[in-house]
Amino acid sequence: MSDHKTAIVTGASRGIGRATALELARAGYYIIINFKSNEEAARETLTLVQSAGGDGEISQFDVADNAQTKDAVKAITERHKNIQVLINNAGINADGLFMLMGEEEWDSVIDTSLKGFYNITKPVLREMVRKKCGSIVSVSSLSALMPNRGQANYAAAKAGIIAASRSLAAEVARFGVRVNVVAPGLIETDMIKDAPVAEIKKIIPMARLGKPEEVAGVIRFLCSGDASYITGQVIGINGGIC
Ligand code: NAD
């Protein structure tokens, strides 16, 4: 069993998750790169982590599936005894007007982001509380805080993550575990490839989209000793939208 400081990043095969895996690898963490289906992309993340001087492994599981996630965390914690960081990054969107939104569009988004938060945080937290050390950062969204047409499912899932994280932070602060949230605005990833970018830029004071690395840097900070007195907080990363 290894005792290197270890970080689990969900949905790390691309986008913000991949950038976070790299950033945490540079900070010295051994990275568990979770992916749901795209093994090739997850392996690319691992190669990038290794090229940056770090190390890690890929781990396939669907965060929306409780049994699968529990089994995966059990296997991870049997191999790595020092899980210090969990990044709840996996998420999907299925935008559409609420009046036309099917049950599948509602459930899949809630199950990935919010049920996924429960499915993985619970077994990982048990290990962190036992060791009295840990940092959990979850990726919410500006959509949780600001109304956006067509995103009732996504906003509900992401607002749920904020509420759950703040409650959890209050529960586990005394055990040395910190729980925080980042709420990105529009970030250049595959998730927003169909978004009306030109229109959106008009409401962003910095007049540009964010980069995955600009989210990853804040996540790394929240996991670091420099953030040792920060818990239960939501940090906006959105180019100045208030
Ligand atoms: P992305 O689509 O590139 O990445 C999402 C990742 O989550 C992918 O690797 C995907 O395979 C993974 N994933 C999806 N369902 C999963 C599941 N059930 N189990 C395991 N992994 C799963 O998009 P991104 O922009 O990098 O998104 C990362 C997070 O950031 C998401 O939670 C998203 O909601 C959030 N976010 C993104 C933006 C943005 O503008 N891009 C803004 C705010 C919040």
Side-chain angles (χ1 to χ4, degrees):
M1 183 187 258
S2 78
D3 67 351
H4 39 217
K5 61 177 189 173
T6 300
I8 302 175
V9 184
T10 68
S13 59
R14 65 186 202 190
I16 293 169
R18 174 180 280 180
T20 301
L22 267 168
E23 191 71 28
L24 291 174
R26 288 191 193 104
Y29 290 93
Y30 181 90
I31 311 294
I32 309 290
I33 299 161
N34 159 250
F35 69 101
K36 180 182 170 186
S37 53
N38 193 342
E39 180 169 343
E40 201 185 326
R43 287 197 184 282
E44 272 172 42
T45 302
L46 179 57
T47 302
L48 290 169
V49 160
Q50 290 167 336
S51 305
D55 203 5
E57 65 194 48
I58 62 169
S59 175
Q60 190 281 326
F61 58 94
D62 176 352
V63 297
D65 183 320
N66 183 270
Q68 221 182 85
T69 305
K70 224 156 82 179
D71 286 351
V73 171
K74 188 165 179 283
I76 292 165
T77 52
E78 278 168 5
R79 287 197 312 280
H80 306 284
K81 64 176 181 194
N82 195 10
I83 313 275
Q84 291 188 5
V85 163
L86 168 64
I87 311 300
N88 283 311
N89 167 77
I92 58 168
N93 59 350
D95 295 356
L97 294 177
F98 187 76
M99 292 275 282
L100 305 173
M101 188 174 287
E103 193 177 346
E104 153 66 14
E105 286 157 322
W106 180 268
D107 286 349
S108 60
V109 171
I110 301 281
D111 285 355
T112 304
S113 277
L114 190 53
K115 184 80 190 304
F117 172 93
Y118 170 83
N119 289 342
I120 190 161
T121 302
K122 196 172 170 206
V124 172
L125 184 68
R126 195 187 302 271
E127 296 300 312
M128 289 177 168
V129 165
R130 192 175 294 151
K131 301 216 173 62
K132 296 205 164 23
C133 167
S135 173
I136 298 169
V137 179
S138 300
V139 183
S140 176
S141 169
L142 178 63
S143 300
L145 308 167
M146 196 179 103
N148 198 10
R149 291 172 75 249
Q151 289 203 310
N153 50 356
Y154 188 75
K158 294 300 192 184
I161 285 178
I162 291 176
S165 296
R166 295 178 71 189
S167 288
L168 182 57
E171 284 179 27
V172 297
R174 77 191 68 177
F175 301 113
V177 180
R178 296 182 299 103
V179 184
N180 290 293
V181 177
V182 292
L186 261 287
I187 308 298
E188 277 173 29
T189 70
D190 288 351
M191 182 172 273
I192 62 147
K193 62 181 184 307
D194 299 326
V197 170
E199 283 306 301
I200 290 166
K201 277 185 186 167
K202 291 180 192 162
I203 62 157
I204 303 174
M206 288 178 76
R208 67 169 177 87
L209 305 187
K211 297 183 188 317
E213 295 73 22
E214 291 175 307
V215 179
V218 178
I219 292 175
R220 196 244 318 118
F221 161 72
L222 286 170
C223 295
S224 74
D226 291 339
S228 54
Y229 200 50
I230 299 178
T231 194
Q233 304 304 307
V234 182
I235 313 287
I237 309 166
N238 58 41
I241 300 172
C242 298

